[in-house]
Amino acid sequence: MNESMPYVKILVDNRAAPGLVAEHGFAAWIEAGGKKILFDCGQGAALRPNSERTACDIVHADLWVLSHGHYDHTGASDYVLERNPEIQVYAHHGIFRERYSLHPEQPPKEISMPSEQRLVVANLPDSQLHWVREPLQVAEGVWASGPIPRNHPLEDTGGPFYLDSEGHDADAIPDDQALWIETPRGLLVICGCCHSGLINTLDYARRMSGFDKVWGIIGGFHLKHASEERLTATAAALKEIAPDFITPCHCTGDAAIEYLKETLSIPVESGFAGYVVD
Ligand SMILES: [Zn+2]
Ligand SMILES: [Zn+2]
């Protein structure tokens, strides 16, 4: 566990503080366990200006955790590795898969990690690229979850995701992972898109860490297409877990955020690029 509290700043999000760039994507800067950690890198255009303007220069990051292989979390990989060629990378080996989202009446949308971004990461030496298969401590008291068991009957990946453009092969997004930080006030859980489901993710983080108390939750919760039943179950789980705060952002969905604000008595505040927790 860490004796001191972590510092977290959202670097890329769908919303941004004045002077920062917004884009559909997510990235966060984390200082914990004596390390500077980059979590994801957004879609591509926002990371550079936002990191420069918030004095979170990527050159100072010790390590980089990728939550999963969607374009909106991996799109600035070339910039990260250009700025910091020595950075240690932690991800699941499934991040390079080709994948699509399929909406009725619309052409298939490829949402894979862009090929040029895949190349720069795949070409890293083994000593720098760490595949996460199970919870892995990346800094003192900071854990990359690895694959998260999908136990809850109402939770799914949150979208029409497939491994092929025809929609034959559903994509379970097995590479989805979260980060948890053990703090004196409980766990701080940081999600990318939370395709594993928020309840599944929190259950796993608590079970594997041995921490019952969750201090806070930050990230995309991917509840945009969630059924009313699922939203109700999510709110009930959050009431029971009783974190001190929740910062939903990125892909959570405005209606889901409003619902959580109305239903929960704890502070629920939408995140944005420039938002800080410390
Ligand atoms: Zn996303
Ligand atoms: Zn995603």
Side-chain angles (χ1 to χ4, degrees):
M1 192 185 80
N2 294 296
E3 297 303 319
S4 56
M5 293 303 288
Y7 172 90
V8 178
K9 177 179 277 173
I10 297 174
L11 284 183
V12 177
D13 184 53
N14 299 40
R15 304 189 316 130
L20 296 180
V21 177
E23 70 180 14
H24 174 77
F26 188 72
W29 177 267
I30 300 156
E31 295 176 16
K35 301 281 185 194
K36 295 184 169 68
I37 301 164
L38 178 65
F39 182 76
D40 288 344
C41 62
Q43 191 178 140
L47 185 74
R48 182 180 189 150
N50 290 359
S51 58
E52 285 173 0
R53 290 170 201 168
T54 57
C56 294
D57 194 327
I58 306 304
V59 75
H60 299 308
D62 299 292
L63 55 108
W64 177 27
V65 177
L66 285 163
S67 69
H68 65 302
H70 277 160
Y71 74 102
D72 53 325
H73 297 255
T74 57
S77 299
D78 52 354
Y79 172 67
V80 173
L81 291 168
E82 183 193 304
R83 187 80 190 124
N84 188 339
E86 306 289 313
I87 197 167
Q88 297 291 312
V89 184
Y90 295 83
H92 183 273
H93 60 83
I95 56 167
F96 299 137
R97 295 181 95 156
E98 197 175 304
R99 48 212 347 174
Y100 298 86
S101 71
L102 300 181
H103 292 275
E105 315 294 325
Q106 283 175 37
K109 185 182 180 202
E110 195 186 341
I111 54 172
S112 326
M113 185 171 184
S115 50
E116 61 279 15
Q117 310 295 333
R118 259 185 259 182
L119 262 185
V120 289
V121 176
N123 282 336
L124 290 172
D126 289 349
S127 57
Q128 205 178 338
L129 185 52
H130 310 275
W131 296 130
V132 185
R133 297 179 175 85
E134 58 193 3
L136 181 68
Q137 188 166 213
V138 296
E140 199 182 340
V142 182
W143 294 75
S145 71
I148 295 164
R150 316 290 172 90
N151 294 327
H152 198 282
L154 292 173
E155 292 195 316
D156 55 28
T157 55
F161 300 122
Y162 293 90
L163 294 169
D164 62 302
S165 58
E166 279 87 44
H168 298 310
D169 231 346
D171 184 3
I173 317 179
D175 42 321
D176 177 68
Q177 63 170 344
L179 197 79
W180 71 72
I181 305 171
E182 300 167 357
T183 87
R185 294 186 204 166
L187 288 185
L188 178 60
V189 180
I190 302 171
C191 308
C193 263
C194 213
H195 293 298
S196 305
L198 187 57
I199 303 172
N200 287 332
T201 300
L202 295 172
D203 280 353
Y204 193 59
R206 291 165 83 210
R207 184 152 56 83
M208 299 311 283
S209 66
F211 273 60
D212 199 38
K213 171 72 186 165
V214 174
W215 174 48
I217 311 163
I218 304 174
F221 303 157
H222 224 296
L223 293 169
K224 213 169 179 172
H225 306 293
S227 63
E228 207 179 314
E229 236 184 331
R230 178 178 174 184
L231 277 180
T232 308
T234 302
L238 288 169
K239 272 183 193 164
E240 200 184 309
I241 294 168
D244 291 358
F245 70 93
I246 303 177
T247 307
C249 34
H250 177 40
C251 56
T252 304
D254 291 342
I257 294 176
E258 280 316 305
Y259 176 77
L260 293 177
K261 280 183 181 170
E262 282 166 21
T263 317
L264 302 175
S265 51
I266 50 165
V268 178
E269 195 185 348
S270 300
F272 50 86
Y275 180 96
V276 173
V277 172
D278 57 4

